[in-house]
């Protein structure tokens, strides 16, 4: 079965065509600057990237260009669209309505739209992508895979905030968590890689990228996660502040003469390691800055690693122990210095890092020493493959 995986942003669209039998990626790429001018990047497996500049007023034109590229006579991955058997769509927010992936129906689309207030930048774009695919690929089964679904197993004690309960009742203000597709995939992958019984395990997944989150996964189910109602809560991130004293918002608003939108812009786009360092949100730049003696770059890295270690410690307590810790996503998979610094705080768990293994990249690898009491591993995430698997499970 060939599954087209679609991930729509407000002005972008990522895609992969995957053969679910072999799990090979047949083609992949992205559309950028949708609604501005338009740019398609397409790459068939084994071939060089092709870049096409063309107008993309809406997501419909973007998806049409993707479909045209997939069946292109010279570099198409399939001969006709009839070879695309299903489409899996990433949906950012499913609220409390969706605890698992679902086949898309009109009722599902209505329910997703009801969650738009919870993810105003993402859910509307996700819906536009689905409707464009439905129009261009009538009759092809489509599946919605939610970022929030994996975290719906959290108990009430983990997801309720210390706010008036009526805000939860009326507006569903609670912790939802994000990156759920990645957390689900990586928790299963590390259990398989280490030969663990997922149903009797305690795993902490550190999804560390420009957006970063940590989850506690007990017996294969999420029991807590660091992001909240929105992806702003939790770890210090690339440009997001993560956890702060809420009163800071009023304090800065008065000092800088900002309204609520202005303060939120600061917290989402001007904070995090970029805000601390004044240099970059990219850890490669920060490490280069550290090596060049930039003290603010060093402070940003130290703050980031310290916050990760604190959350790991909190989730060890939440699960009353831990069997394995996984590092994943851009920073988690590639920044050995970050992994080493985080694990320096975890000696109390009997963890020591094998520096030679920690220097490796690209594959599943155990980076803790053989005598460590808790296994620590790098597990590359693959959200597109996870969406493909969820799609196949529902449409086969």
């Amino acid at each position: 079965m060939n599954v087209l995986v679609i991930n729509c942003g407000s002005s972008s669209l990522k895609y992969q065509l995957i053969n679910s039998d072999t799990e090979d990626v047949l083609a992949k790429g992205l559309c950028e600057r949708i609604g501005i001018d338009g740019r398609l990047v397409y790459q068939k497996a084994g071939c060089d990237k092709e870049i096409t500049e063309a107008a993309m007023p809406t997501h419909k034109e973007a998806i049409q260009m993707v479909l045209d590229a997939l069946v292109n006579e010279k570099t198409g991955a399939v001969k006709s669209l009839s070879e695309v058997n299903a489409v899996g769509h990433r949906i950012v927010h499913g609220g409390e309505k969706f605890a698992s992936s679902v086949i898309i129906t009109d009722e599902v689309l209505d329910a997703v739209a009801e969650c738009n207030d919870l993810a105003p930048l993402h859910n509307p774009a996700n819906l536009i992508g689905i409707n464009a695919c439905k129009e261009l690929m009538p009759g092809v089964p489509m599946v919605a895979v939610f970022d929030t679904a994996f975290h719906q197993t959290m108990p009430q004690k983990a997801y309720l905030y210390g706010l008036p309960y009526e805000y939860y009742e009326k507006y569903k203000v609670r912790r939802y968590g994000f990156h759920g597709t990645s957390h689900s995939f990586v928790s299963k992958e590390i259990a398989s890689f280490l030969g663990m019984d997922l149903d009797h395990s305690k795993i902490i997944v550190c999804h560390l990228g420009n957006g970063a989150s940590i989850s506690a996964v007990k017996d294969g189910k999420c029991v807590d996660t660091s992001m909240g109602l929105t992806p702003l809560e939790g770890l210090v991130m690339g440009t997001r502040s993560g956890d702060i004293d809420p009163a800071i918002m009023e304090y800065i608003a008065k000092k800088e003469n900002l309204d609520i939108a202005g303060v939120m812009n600061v917290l989402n786009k001007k904070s995090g390691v970029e805000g601390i360092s004044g240099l970059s949100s990219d850890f490669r730049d920060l490490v280069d800055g550290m090596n060049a003696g930039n003290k603010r770059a060093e402070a940003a890295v130290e703050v980031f690693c310290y916050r990760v270690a604190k959350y790991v410690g909190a989730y060890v307590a939440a699960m009353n122990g831990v069997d394995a810790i996984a590092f994943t996503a851009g920073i988690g998979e590639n920044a050995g210095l970050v992994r080493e610094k985080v694990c320096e705080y975890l000696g109390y768990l009997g963890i020591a890092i094998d520096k030679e293994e920690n220097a490796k990249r690209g594959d599943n690898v155990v980076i803790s020493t053989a005598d460590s009491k808790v296994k620590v591993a790098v597990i590359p995430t693959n959200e597109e493959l996870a969406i493909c698997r969820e799609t196949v499970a529902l449409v086969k």
Side-chain angles (χ1 to χ4, degrees), residues 67-197:
L67 298 180
D68 289 345
L70 290 173
V71 298
N72 180 283
E73 285 188 6
K74 292 183 178 179
T75 57
V78 291
K79 291 181 179 179
S80 76
L81 289 181
S82 64
E83 295 179 49
V84 179
N85 308 109
V87 182
H89 292 270
R90 176 198 179 217
I91 308 293
V92 167
H93 218 306
E96 290 188 326
K97 300 176 185 296
F98 300 101
S100 61
S101 302
V102 293
I103 292 177
I104 294 172
T105 63
D106 289 343
E107 291 75 20
V108 166
L109 293 180
D110 290 343
V112 171
E114 290 175 13
C115 298
N116 282 358
D117 286 348
L118 294 170
L121 297 179
H122 296 92
N123 271 33
N126 300 154
L127 288 168
I128 290 169
I130 292 170
N131 286 321
C133 282
K134 286 179 66 180
E135 187 174 341
L136 295 170
M137 306 173 72
V140 177
M142 301 194 186
V143 170
V145 181
F146 299 90
D147 270 11
T148 50
F150 182 63
H151 305 305
Q152 280 296 300
T153 52
M154 281 190 292
Q156 189 179 63
K157 64 185 178 183
Y159 69 69
L160 279 183
Y161 288 119
L163 295 169
Y165 192 74
E166 64 190 87
Y167 295 160
Y168 169 64
E169 290 181 304
K170 291 196 293 187
Y171 312 121
K172 297 303 178 186
V173 174
R174 51 158 285 179
R175 179 184 310 283
Y176 288 101
F178 298 88
H179 299 137
T181 307
S182 176
H183 285 287
S184 175
F185 177 87
V186 172
S187 59
K188 293 179 177 68
E189 189 73 11
I190 191 172
S192 175
F193 178 55
L194 297 178
M196 299 166 56
D197 178 1

Side-chain angles (χ1 to χ4, degrees), residues 194 196 200-203 321-325 373-376:
L194 297 178
M196 299 166 56
H200 297 87
S201 65
K202 298 174 181 178
I203 296 168
V322 62
D323 301 315
I325 298 170
K373 294 180 180 177
V374 175
K375 294 289 186 184
V376 181

